[in-house]
Amino acid sequence: MDKNTLTGFILIAAVLIGFSYFSRPSEAEMEAQRRQDSIATVAQQKAQMAQEAKEKAEIAHQAQVALDTTSLFYAHRRGEAQDVVLENELIKLTFNTRGGTVQKVELKEYKNQQGGPVTLFDEKDARMQFMLGGKMENINSGDFFFTPINVSDTTLTMRLQASTGGTLDFDYTLLPHSYMVDFTIRANGLGNFFAPSMKTLDIAWNEMARQQEKGFDFESRYSSLTYKIKNEGTDYLSETSAESEKIAEPLDWVAFKNQFFSCVLIAHQDFTEAHLSSTPQQKASGYLKDYEADMKTFFDPNGKTPTQMQMLFAPNNYHLLQHTNKLSASDKDLELEDLVYLGWPLFKWINRFFIIYIFDWLSSLGLSMGIVLLLLTILVKVLVYPTTRKSYLSSAKMRVLKPKIDELNAKYPKPEDAMKKQQETMQLYSQYGVSPMGGCLPMLLQMPIWIALFNFVPNAIELRGESFLWASDLSAYDDVIRWDKSIWLIGDHLSIFCLLFCLTNIVNTWITMRQQQNSMTGEQAQQMKLMQYMMYIMPVAFFFMFNNYSSGLNYYYFLSGLTSILIMWFLRKTTDDKKLLAKLEANYQANKANPNKKMSGMAARLEALQKQQQAILEEQKKKQAQNKK
């Protein structure tokens, strides 16, 4: 190679090297290229994964198609949902062929807040499904389209026809003049499909319980998932907090209960392995509770014995539920009236055998519910008047004897003589025929009636929608005075009946305190001063507690307080202190003529206790004196 050729090669190489150096991409350009390559790789991977998922879905679809074609009820996998209606003069039930179960329940005689019929069950908020475990596949009623047969106004059979010729039937019969539906599940010709050991079916029932009344807080307080244990009483989950419970005992029925209405599923062959839960919902959500019930009940695969149940969609009316017990499809005593909560045992019996019958009698007169509550209050006050009068007279006797008690206080001014002073005070009361506890016991006898009515009035569906004076609905709070924003402890309204109730409570407290002061010594009055202030705080606290309560309950308490004021005024006007003192002096002279007469009752027990305490004190003093020696 000559020199010129070599030089030419060198120049060409230098040019190529320089071009390569100056034309290479920058670091930023190289990073962008790497990022682009990475995005392309990810996109390629996603496309590949999507293709694989599509292939798997297709395989699964083909497998499901193959399974469906061999399914016992393959022909019912697809269809068109249709509604079938059963109704009588009280209730309208809508069933749907998709699932074969009830989809909507309307009570014709009761109105919601918008003026339409009360809807207790709606497919948007509730669902009920029945599951059966077969040898080759599981059956879920919600997956199939049933065929309606034997349809009339009150009867319906939802049928699944098996490819083998057998059938699975859901039979419904709406009983006449009733809210009760007889419900049976029967298998025909399906014995080979189920294992011989399969003796139960599963039930999954859930519902978002709608708010039906105006006052959310008050309605929620009286709404609960309630159930009845076989051969025992009823129980319920918490009304105020979320609760879930597994019930070991067999159950007769499970109810999704609102304040005034209930949806009840009854098993005449028992519910077992029940798992129940209740979750309160937020205010303004339109719902009260989220109810769930999962349980098992009897099922005969051979079809000899049908699964026997009943459905009840009814108002919580005590007498109606009592009558509905007679419609039981078995010999079980359903005790459905327990859905109307009447309080703990003592208060429940007062309501059942006293208050309800008086209320029913007054309601039968055709009066407005406001007048019925007024007459109920007056009647109750008349019945307890003897105890009220006895309580007042006991306080009056102590009032007229106060000068003599003051003499004893002057006689024993020293603190160490307190026991002797107390003993002589009790002796004086006994000699004059006065019992210091005479004013308390009669009032305590009235408390069970007061508490019984506290439980009865909020659960009386007869008050629902009934207006009186300014209250548009006695079962909800009266809110003539209201504002836009909620205020802490008060809310967005002022209940006038609640305010009146609290005012009469303050007046009654003042009357009670005044009676006590008139019978107390100066030292006792000073000791009770703090307690008296606390007594005035209670009516104020009641205002914040009861402002959201039903106007009917506040109205009753207002009437009760007002009549108590009038009775106290009447007793004070008709009691002559001079004549009363003269009567007590006559008692004193009679007892003085019989010095051997012993005290009896509470006074005797108090005297015995005081003597025992006095003996203990004297013994302690002796020991202290001996120790000093």
Side-chain angles (χ1 to χ4, degrees):
M1 182 182 296
D2 60 16
K3 184 177 179 181
N4 292 331
T5 302
L6 180 61
T7 301
F9 275 117
I10 292 172
L11 289 172
I12 292 171
V15 171
L16 292 173
I17 293 171
F19 178 79
S20 175
Y21 177 79
F22 288 107
S23 63
R24 72 176 183 175
S26 65
E27 286 295 327
E29 291 173 331
M30 293 175 65
E31 178 63 27
Q33 182 63 38
R34 287 194 293 269
R35 190 180 299 112
Q36 186 175 0
D37 292 342
S38 176
I39 293 172
T41 302
V42 171
Q44 185 178 2
Q45 291 175 347
K46 286 184 176 180
Q48 185 177 357
M49 292 173 64
Q51 181 62 29
E52 292 176 356
K54 184 177 181 181
E55 292 175 356
K56 289 180 179 179
E58 182 63 25
I59 294 172
H61 175 69
Q62 294 298 330
Q64 184 63 42
V65 170
L67 176 62
D68 287 348
T69 56
T70 60
S71 173
L72 189 67
F73 301 113
Y74 166 70
H76 294 273
R77 287 281 182 178
R78 289 169 177 79
E80 183 178 351
Q82 298 177 359
D83 290 339
V84 182
V85 175
L86 303 184
E87 62 181 318
N88 58 25
E89 71 277 14
L90 301 175
I91 187 171
K92 177 181 178 181
L93 302 104
T94 303
F95 295 82
N96 195 276
T97 55
R98 176 64 185 268
T101 56
V102 63
Q103 298 291 300
K104 190 173 184 179
V105 177
E106 297 173 285
L107 303 187
K108 296 182 178 181
E109 293 188 327
Y110 295 90
K111 302 298 181 181
N112 57 27
Q113 294 299 310
Q114 292 73 40
V118 166
T119 300
L120 288 192
F121 197 101
D122 194 300
E123 60 180 338
K124 298 176 183 178
D125 311 319
R127 193 175 187 186
M128 186 182 295
Q129 297 184 90
F130 302 91
M131 287 80 71
L132 294 166
K135 293 178 182 179
M136 302 299 295
E137 64 174 306
N138 294 326
I139 297 174
N140 186 325
S141 62
D143 295 337
F144 298 98
F145 291 84
F146 287 68
T147 301
I149 61 174
N150 301 327
V151 180
S152 72
D153 289 342
T154 57
T155 61
L156 166 67
T157 296
M158 288 289 193
R159 170 167 291 181
L160 289 180
Q161 183 75 47
S163 58
T164 58
T167 59
L168 180 66
D169 290 341
F170 290 180
D171 294 320
Y172 301 96
T173 301
L174 174 60
L175 302 184
H177 316 296
S178 170
Y179 297 93
M180 183 77 88
V181 180
D182 286 346
F183 173 39
T184 60
I185 299 177
R186 184 191 297 271
N188 298 291
L190 300 179
N192 294 332
F193 177 77
F194 300 101
S197 60
M198 205 281 283
K199 299 295 183 183
T200 61
L201 63 83
D202 292 285
I203 302 171
W205 179 22
N206 64 280
E207 180 180 2
M208 292 286 287
R210 290 184 179 186
Q211 179 182 343
Q212 302 284 358
E213 314 305 324
K214 180 170 66 174
F216 174 87
D217 295 331
F218 195 66
E219 184 182 6
S220 182
R221 188 178 294 113
Y222 290 93
S223 301
S224 63
L225 194 159
T226 307
Y227 55 92
K228 182 183 181 300
I229 300 173
K230 185 177 181 180
N231 298 324
E232 296 183 27
T234 58
D235 204 349
Y236 55 91
L237 302 186
S238 173
E239 305 102 325
T240 57
S241 60
E243 185 177 5
S244 179
E245 188 172 352
K246 290 184 178 180
I247 313 297
E249 300 89 347
L251 304 180
D252 288 333
W253 50 259
V254 174
F256 292 172
K257 174 181 175 294
N258 285 21
Q259 182 182 3
F260 292 122
F261 306 97
S262 293
C263 302
V264 189
L265 186 60
I266 303 165
H268 292 287
Q269 291 136 324
D270 305 340
F271 290 132
T272 58
E273 301 180 35
H275 185 191
L276 312 176
S277 68
S278 173
T279 306
Q281 300 302 292
Q282 294 294 323
K283 193 172 183 177
S285 67
Y287 297 97
L288 301 170
K289 307 285 174 63
D290 181 6
Y291 293 136
E292 292 186 13
D294 297 311
M295 48 213 172
K296 297 178 182 294
T297 193
F298 167 82
F299 179 73
D300 178 9
N302 296 313
K304 294 180 180 178
T305 304
T307 301
Q308 196 172 29
M309 290 182 280
Q310 288 181 297
M311 296 177 176
L312 178 68
F313 305 97
N316 297 331
N317 181 294
Y318 184 82
H319 290 302
L320 183 145
L321 293 172
Q322 270 190 325
H323 174 74
T324 304
N325 288 330
K326 300 175 183 178
L327 303 178
S328 174
S330 65
D331 59 355
K332 285 186 175 182
D333 182 5
L334 299 178
E335 300 181 29
L336 291 166
E337 67 274 11
D338 282 351
L339 287 168
V340 182
Y341 182 73
L342 297 176
W344 292 349
L346 173 61
F347 314 123
K348 179 169 68 175
W349 297 125
I350 293 174
N351 278 320
R352 281 191 174 187
F353 300 108
F354 175 58
I355 299 297
I356 287 179
Y357 288 99
I358 293 177
F359 183 83
D360 289 343
W361 171 63
L362 293 173
S363 300
S364 67
L365 300 178
L367 305 171
S368 73
M369 282 298 147
I371 301 301
V372 168
L373 289 176
L374 171 62
L375 295 177
L376 177 65
T377 305
I378 294 174
L379 186 56
V380 169
K381 286 295 183 180
V382 169
L383 292 174
V384 300
Y385 176 76
T387 62
T388 303
R389 184 174 182 275
K390 186 175 181 180
S391 176
Y392 175 81
L393 289 178
S394 178
S395 298
K397 289 175 183 179
M398 295 181 70
R399 181 179 68 243
V400 298
L401 287 179
K402 185 175 180 294
K404 299 186 180 298
I405 301 300
D406 291 337
E407 292 176 5
L408 286 177
N409 291 328
K411 181 179 178 181
Y412 298 104
K414 297 180 180 179
E416 55 267 27
D417 295 330
M419 188 63 68
K420 291 182 180 179
K421 179 175 66 176
Q422 189 66 21
Q423 288 177 350
E424 289 199 24
T425 301
M426 296 305 299
Q427 184 67 30
L428 184 144
Y429 283 145
S430 178
Q431 289 172 340
Y432 279 90
V434 176
S435 173
M437 301 299 294
C440 299
L441 187 58
M443 296 305 295
L444 289 176
L445 293 176
Q446 297 181 37
M447 285 300 294
I449 298 177
W450 195 85
I451 298 174
L453 283 162
F454 173 81
N455 289 291
F456 169 75
V457 174
N459 290 292
I461 194 172
E462 292 84 354
L463 299 179
R464 185 180 186 271
E466 292 291 327
S467 61
F468 183 70
L469 297 178
W470 56 83
S472 59
D473 185 353
L474 287 173
S475 70
Y477 54 78
D478 57 295
D479 56 349
V480 176
I481 302 175
R482 61 178 302 114
W483 45 87
D484 295 332
K485 294 184 179 180
S486 179
I487 300 176
W488 183 61
L489 290 179
I490 297 179
D492 60 357
H493 67 277
L494 175 65
S495 171
I496 300 176
F497 277 130
C498 177
L499 184 61
L500 292 174
F501 153 51
C502 293
L503 290 175
T504 55
N505 206 346
I506 291 173
V507 174
N508 271 306
T509 301
W510 176 77
I511 292 173
T512 303
M513 293 297 101
R514 188 177 178 185
Q515 287 178 345
Q516 291 179 353
Q517 288 173 351
N518 290 337
S519 60
M520 288 180 182
T521 63
E523 181 181 352
Q524 290 173 333
Q526 190 64 30
Q527 292 173 351
M528 290 293 293
K529 205 167 187 179
L530 180 61
M531 180 62 70
Q532 291 172 358
Y533 286 130
M534 293 297 293
M535 292 294 291
Y536 282 113
I537 291 175
M538 188 175 295
V540 178
F542 278 161
F543 170 75
F544 296 105
M545 292 170 57
F546 284 77
N547 193 46
N548 281 327
Y549 272 55
S550 72
S551 54
L553 183 63
N554 282 319
Y555 170 60
Y556 165 75
Y557 281 155
F558 160 65
L559 292 176
S560 181
L562 181 61
T563 51
S564 293
I565 293 171
L566 295 175
I567 289 172
M568 288 297 106
W569 175 83
F570 172 76
L571 290 173
R572 187 70 181 89
K573 288 296 183 181
T574 56
T575 301
D576 189 327
D577 286 359
K578 293 182 179 179
K579 290 183 178 179
L580 183 60
L581 181 58
K583 183 177 180 181
L584 295 178
E585 290 291 353
N587 291 339
Y588 176 76
Q589 294 299 327
N591 291 331
K592 187 176 181 181
N594 184 15
N596 295 324
K597 182 180 179 180
K598 296 181 179 180
M599 287 185 293
S600 60
M602 182 64 70
R605 288 191 288 272
L606 288 173
E607 184 187 38
L609 180 60
Q610 289 168 357
K611 288 181 177 180
Q612 184 180 2
Q613 292 175 341
Q614 182 67 28
I616 293 172
L617 289 174
E618 291 178 356
E619 185 66 25
Q620 289 176 348
K621 288 180 180 179
K622 289 180 180 180
K623 290 182 178 179
Q624 290 175 357
Q626 291 176 356
N627 291 333
K628 288 180 180 180
K629 293 180 179 180

